[in-house]
């Protein structure tokens, strides 16, 4: 059974601060790791899909890294803004092909202006 | 692109009644739809996988006779909670991959509806 752990569960940062959160997962049988941003009353929005060990992806002020050998991924937000306030979900593909994702509980970020 | 529309957004019903939740892919065809639910402070948990034109696959512990899934077309999947009870109160959300983005690949993102908050009184 895939177990995806995210930490911290929640955090509050001041506007302008940079922050990061962690996603941990079993390093065996890795297929792909997904990061989503989920704002209240909206649908989860895909940020990154990462497949290769050492992969780094960037989208504006948000970036992510992946270490499949040790089973973790970091999501970084540089210069946090109030609009970054959301829950950030990490999920793993359970297999190859059109398979469902296994989600962590998420990290709830609040950016205080 | 790749929009999934889910209705209703919230519903309150009495114990013993049935509730239908619809999920439509608006600009792509979804041969497979994944239905998740989320209880407070928990992660999104897969309930079932619906496949167009065939029977849904249910996860362990999810009663197929209680949670009826119909995927009659390439753009519509429905989840009906039959004889709902207070313990069925939860957040239900559907998702699918867009074939135009490589839907057969595990590295293609899921596109989600906005979810349905079900409260059974």
């Amino acid at each position: 059974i895939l177990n995806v752990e995210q930490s911290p569960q929640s955090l509050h940062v001041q506007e302008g601060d940079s922050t990061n959160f962690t996603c941990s997962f079993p390093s065996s049988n890795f297929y792909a790791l997904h990061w989503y941003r989920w704002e209240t009353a909206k649908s989860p929005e895909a940020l990154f899909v990462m497949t290769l060990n050492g992969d780094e992806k960037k989208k504006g002020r948000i970036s992510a890294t992946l270490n499949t050998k040790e089973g973790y991924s970091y999501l970084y937000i540089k210069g946090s803004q109030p609009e970054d306030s959301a829950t950030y979900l990490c999920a793993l593909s359970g297999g190859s092909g059109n398979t469902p994702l296994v989600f962590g509980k998420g990290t709830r970020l609040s950016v205080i202006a | 692109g790749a929009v999934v529309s889910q209705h209703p957004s919230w519903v309150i019903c009495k114990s013993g009644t049935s509730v239908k939740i619809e999920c439509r892919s608006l600009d792509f065809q979804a041969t497979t739809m994944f239905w998740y639910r989320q209880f407070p402070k928990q992660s999104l948990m897969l309930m079932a996988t619906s496949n167009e034109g065939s029977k849904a696959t249910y996860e362990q512990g999810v009663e197929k006779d209680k949670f009826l899934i119909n995927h009659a077309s390439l753009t519509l999947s429905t989840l009906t909670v039959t004889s709902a009870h207070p313990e069925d109160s939860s957040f239900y959300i559907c998702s699918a991959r867009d074939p135009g983005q490589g839907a057969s690949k595990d590295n293609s993102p899921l596109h989600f509806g906005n979810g349905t908050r079900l409260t059974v009184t």
Side-chain angles (χ1 to χ4, degrees):
Chain A
I1 298 177
L2 269 179
N3 190 28
V4 181
E5 299 283 345
Q6 289 189 250
S7 63
Q9 187 175 347
S10 66
L11 74 162
H12 300 256
V13 301
Q14 291 290 132
E15 182 177 358
D17 286 352
S18 294
T19 187
N20 65 84
F21 354 112
T22 305
C23 175
S24 302
F25 52 89
S27 55
S28 58
N29 296 321
F30 177 85
Y31 291 93
L33 181 139
H34 300 235
W35 280 103
Y36 289 84
R37 175 170 57 204
W38 194 1
E39 296 179 66
T40 304
K42 295 186 178 180
S43 59
E45 172 199 355
L47 289 173
F48 306 114
V49 182
M50 309 174 80
T51 57
L52 300 175
N53 183 45
D55 214 0
E56 288 189 35
K57 296 211 171 181
K58 189 174 180 182
K59 190 175 186 178
R61 295 178 291 99
I62 304 177
S63 60
T65 60
L66 176 65
N67 184 324
T68 59
K69 294 188 186 305
E70 295 182 39
Y72 64 84
S73 174
Y74 293 137
L75 188 79
Y76 301 91
I77 302 179
K78 185 177 178 182
S80 303
Q81 299 296 310
E83 58 264 31
D84 296 329
S85 297
T87 296
Y88 291 83
L89 299 177
C90 173
L92 253 65
S93 293
S96 61
N98 192 7
T99 54
L101 300 182
V102 177
F103 285 86
K105 291 183 180 179
T107 292
R108 187 174 183 86
L109 172 68
S110 297
V111 182
I112 305 162
Chain B
V3 176
V4 176
S5 176
Q6 184 173 345
H7 294 281
S9 298
W10 58 270
V11 57
I12 301 173
C13 70
K14 291 188 176 180
S15 188
T17 60
S18 296
V19 173
K20 180 187 278 189
I21 302 170
E22 290 191 350
C23 206
R24 294 179 185 272
S25 53
L26 297 186
D27 48 4
F28 66 100
Q29 294 183 331
T31 55
T32 300
M33 193 79 78
F34 303 111
W35 286 93
Y36 289 85
R37 66 181 167 186
Q38 185 181 40
F39 292 105
K41 298 188 187 298
Q42 299 300 311
S43 60
L44 289 170
M45 293 295 293
L46 181 70
M47 295 178 64
T49 300
S50 77
N51 299 292
E52 187 268 335
S54 64
K55 289 183 179 180
T57 305
Y58 291 82
E59 295 302 296
Q60 193 172 13
V62 178
E63 299 175 54
K64 62 180 173 64
D65 295 329
K66 182 171 184 60
F67 298 98
L68 300 180
I69 289 176
N70 185 283
H71 196 149
S73 79
L74 288 172
T75 58
L76 174 64
S77 176
T78 61
L79 168 67
T80 301
V81 184
T82 62
S83 186
H85 289 282
E87 58 265 30
D88 299 323
S89 297
S90 186
F91 181 80
Y92 295 84
I93 191 167
C94 60
S95 63
R97 288 187 171 92
D98 178 357
Q101 297 176 359
S104 62
K105 300 178 182 177
D106 52 274
N107 59 359
S108 171
L110 288 179
H111 300 281
F112 287 85
N114 279 11
T116 298
R117 173 74 58 192
L118 170 64
T119 302
V120 185
T121 61

